[in-house]
Amino acid sequence: MRIVLKLGTSTLTHPTGNLNIRRVEELCKVCSDLKNAGHELVLVSSGAVAMGVGKLSLAERPKDIPGKQAAAAVGQCELMYIYDKLYSQYHHVVAQLLITADDIETPERAKNFHNTLARLLQLRTLPIINENDSLASNEIRFGDNDRLSALVANLVRAEALVLLTDVDALYTAPPSQPGSRRVEYVP
């Protein structure tokens, strides 16, 4: 079975923004066991900005775009270091794909993304995808990794998409936005 698993920031970190070591170790163990059972996994992982805030010892999450982009640049390195270290213990190779909306919406770039992802799965790696927060601007963002994970699941023809998040359901927009509605069923 091919599974896309989206990991939200709150799944990976404590409310302080620091890594939830025990939870991340357990997630890596479960994912490794799924791979050992013959399943193909693709992770869509949030958390780069939060990890950067922690690594840089910032008092709070930056509010400006360059500050968020800088935190993401630092945090993405830390996040991949942790994933590589933990999955290596179970003899799994991780691969990093940082993409922007242009990489899905521009036909040639979408083809390159698809071909790279397909080859990584053939090579039995564990692709870890995140939006390239260091380069993406508001005009070319996916919006969030929930949307990105759905696009990836469709692209790789996954049999399952699992969203690990602190939001209680699927909504038409972020639940905090006025007019956001809970989606009861997705055909």
Side-chain angles (χ1 to χ4, degrees), residues 2-187:
R2 186 171 288 172
I3 304 165
V4 174
L5 176 62
K6 182 264 182 178
L7 304 172
T9 299
S10 62
T11 301
L12 301 172
T13 62
H14 290 287
T16 61
N18 293 321
L19 183 69
N20 186 328
I21 297 166
R22 190 172 312 169
R23 183 178 293 152
V24 172
E25 285 180 343
E26 189 63 30
L27 282 167
C28 290
K29 188 185 299 185
V30 168
C31 289
S32 292
D33 203 38
L34 285 169
K35 282 190 62 61
N36 289 346
H39 299 288
E40 291 181 318
L41 291 179
V42 177
L43 299 185
V44 176
S45 179
S46 300
V49 175
M51 296 292 291
V53 169
K55 182 82 171 178
L56 293 167
S57 301
L58 300 177
E60 62 182 21
R61 181 183 171 99
K63 296 185 183 357
D64 64 317
I65 296 295
K68 290 176 188 175
Q69 290 172 321
V74 171
Q76 191 64 41
C77 293
E78 184 71 4
L79 194 58
M80 286 308 297
Y81 169 77
I82 290 164
Y83 281 138
D84 186 54
K85 181 179 176 193
L86 292 173
Y87 283 111
S88 292
Q89 294 174 8
Y90 302 105
H91 311 288
H92 293 293
V93 175
V94 298
Q96 177 182 34
L97 291 163
L98 294 176
I99 64 173
T100 65
D102 280 348
D103 296 320
I104 298 287
E105 295 166 359
T106 305
E108 184 177 338
R109 291 169 74 171
K111 181 181 176 190
N112 291 338
F113 172 66
H114 178 269
N115 291 342
T116 300
L117 192 51
R119 182 56 57 92
L120 288 169
L121 290 170
Q122 279 179 345
L123 294 169
R124 302 190 42 76
T125 68
L126 177 57
I128 301 174
I129 300 170
N130 194 5
E131 182 161 12
N132 193 342
D133 293 323
S134 297
L135 299 179
S137 65
N138 282 338
E139 296 78 35
I140 60 168
R141 290 188 58 83
F142 287 103
D144 62 33
N145 278 345
D146 291 347
R147 182 169 177 250
L148 173 59
S149 64
L151 291 168
V152 169
N154 186 52
L155 182 71
V156 300
R157 294 181 173 84
E159 285 91 0
L161 168 61
V162 179
L163 306 176
L164 297 182
T165 179
D166 62 355
V167 178
D168 66 342
L170 182 63
Y171 289 85
T172 57
S176 59
Q177 285 186 2
S180 176
R181 295 181 332 274
R182 186 180 178 128
V183 177
E184 296 297 328
Y185 175 73
V186 179

